[in-house]
């Protein structure tokens, strides 16, 4: 197990057992994409300090396959576990020929290690085949159960289906291409996440929207710009996780304009379906927003300049209380704009209109 990163809060004065309240802990399993997005020095600590007046320990664990992650996580103050499937996806796990010890070298190690270190690794260890999708599912189920037992949330980063090192002519007969393997992993996560109640950062979508050909440097590895985008989406997800309410003060929440896709940036509030103050029920339509002048790159040339609009109905994903509408019908808005203040119920004081947590919503496309 690695040591706490530079984000980790300093130990406070000694207290008696009855007085000691440990800071909530976020455990990062530092595969390359996690380390270069959320695991950057000071990133989570500074964001939490900015978002809420709370202390948090960030523990960076050595990159490891899912099968080994559970054995690294024991601290009962852990409230979030972040893992990437890139480690299992790419493989590169070595087992010592004599004592069975497993070694997972850091990404790019072949480019940085001395020749004698590589020779020692290859001489004393055998390279294990990458875990199958069924094995990844088995280990992910075990990790999700472990997270529940700890009272922690689980956040999983999937992988891009773009595999630059693969060419059609390089496929080996009988071997599964990495691109197909990545697709199977994504489909497995779509099925498993709602069943086991964990969250997924859709790295495949994020990178594709940026332009995957330019932002995937190797299978499971991404550019700095892509890692920045991954970090921003991950932090938005973290702020809404129930087990982290004590960090982000989610008794008072912002109702924001959600993103439907990368074209839907600027829009207009068309109609509010609920009045403030008033209770809302999961599944109810809250407001409609229209995004105009959308550009479709794949349209035939004769229609490429046509102007299209998308009407999105924003639905409540949880029960709550609509305390105040900030942007009435007709207001121009952007994705992420806070359009209302939400509270858990009508009895919750709402003196924090700049609350950090976003009220969870869904979207329904009304018209195109």
């Amino acid at each position: 197990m690695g040591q706490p990163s530079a984000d980790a809060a300093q130990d406070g004065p000694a207290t008696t057992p009855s007085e000691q309240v440990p800071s909530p802990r976020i455990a990062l399993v530092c595969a390359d994409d996690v380390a270069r997005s959320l695991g950057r020095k000071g990133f989570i600590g500074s964001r939490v300090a900015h978002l809420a007046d709370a202390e948090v320990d960030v523990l960076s664990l050595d990159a490891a396959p899912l099968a080994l992650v559970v054995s690294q996580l024991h601290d009962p103050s852990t409230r979030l576990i972040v893992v990437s499937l890139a480690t299992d996806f790419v493989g590169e796990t070595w087992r010592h020929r004599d004592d069975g010890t497993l070694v997972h070298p850091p990404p790019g190690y072949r480019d940085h290690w001395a020749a004698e270190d590589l020779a020692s690794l290859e001489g004393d260890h055998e390279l294990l085949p990458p875990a199958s999708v069924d094995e990844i599912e088995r280990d992910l189920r075990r990790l999700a159960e472990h997270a529940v037992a700890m009272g922690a949330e689980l956040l999983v980063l999937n992988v891009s289906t773009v595999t630059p090192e693969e060419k059609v002519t390089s496929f080996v007969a009988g071997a599964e291409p990495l691109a197909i393997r990545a697709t199977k992993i994504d489909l497995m996560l779509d099925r498993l996440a709602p069943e086991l109640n964990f969250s997924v950062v859709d790295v495949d979508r994020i990178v594709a929207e940026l332009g995957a050909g330019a932002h995937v440097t190797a299978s499971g590895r991404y550019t700095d710009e892509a890692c920045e985008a991954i970090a921003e989406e991950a932090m938005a997800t973290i702020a809404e996780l129930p087990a982290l309410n004590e960090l982000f003060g989610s008794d008072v929440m912002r109702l924001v304009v959600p993103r439907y896709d990368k074209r839907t940036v600027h829009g207009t509030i068309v109609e509010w379906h609920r009045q403030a103050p008033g209770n809302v029920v999961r599944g109810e339509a809250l407001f409609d927003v229209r995004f105009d002048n959308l550009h479709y790159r794949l349209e035939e040339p004769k229609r490429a300049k046509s102007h299209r609009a998308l009407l999105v109905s924003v639905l409540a994903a949880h029960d709550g209380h609509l305390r105040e509408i900030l942007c009435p019908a007709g207001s121009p808005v952007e994705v992420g704009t806070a359009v209302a203040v939400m509270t858990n119920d009508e009895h919750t004081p709402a003196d924090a209109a700049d609350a950090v947590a976003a009220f969870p919503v869904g979207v329904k496309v009304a018209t195109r």
Side-chain angles (χ1 to χ4, degrees), residues 212-225:
H215 290 279
V216 181
T217 58
S219 293
R221 301 187 68 190
Y222 314 106
T223 63
D224 290 341
E225 182 180 350

Side-chain angles (χ1 to χ4, degrees), residues 108-233:
Y109 70 99
R110 293 185 182 276
D111 298 328
H112 305 291
W113 282 17
E116 57 269 24
D117 293 330
L118 285 173
S120 175
L121 176 69
E122 295 171 353
D124 297 337
H125 301 75
E126 60 177 340
L127 180 62
L128 300 179
S132 68
V133 176
D134 287 343
E135 289 171 332
I136 293 175
E137 177 175 341
R138 177 202 64 198
D139 295 333
L140 194 53
R141 285 182 177 277
R142 182 169 172 241
L143 179 57
E145 292 170 358
H146 185 66
V148 170
M150 297 178 69
E153 300 280 356
L154 177 61
L155 185 63
V156 179
L157 276 64
N158 69 2
V159 291
S160 173
T161 52
V162 174
T163 53
E165 61 268 50
E166 280 188 331
K167 306 295 181 185
V168 173
T169 55
S170 69
F171 291 164
V172 178
E176 182 177 65
L178 283 173
I180 294 177
R181 176 176 163 80
T183 301
K184 288 182 177 180
I185 289 174
D186 286 352
L187 292 173
M188 178 267 292
L189 287 175
D190 287 344
R191 171 173 51 83
L192 217 58
E195 175 189 342
L196 300 180
N197 197 31
F198 62 79
S199 302
V200 177
V201 177
D202 192 355
V203 172
D204 189 32
R205 174 187 57 78
I206 295 169
V207 175
E209 289 181 355
L210 290 174
H215 290 279
V216 181
T217 58
S219 293
R221 301 187 68 190
Y222 314 106
T223 63
D224 290 341
E225 182 180 350
C227 288
E228 289 276 358
I230 292 168
E232 291 302 322
E233 184 139 335

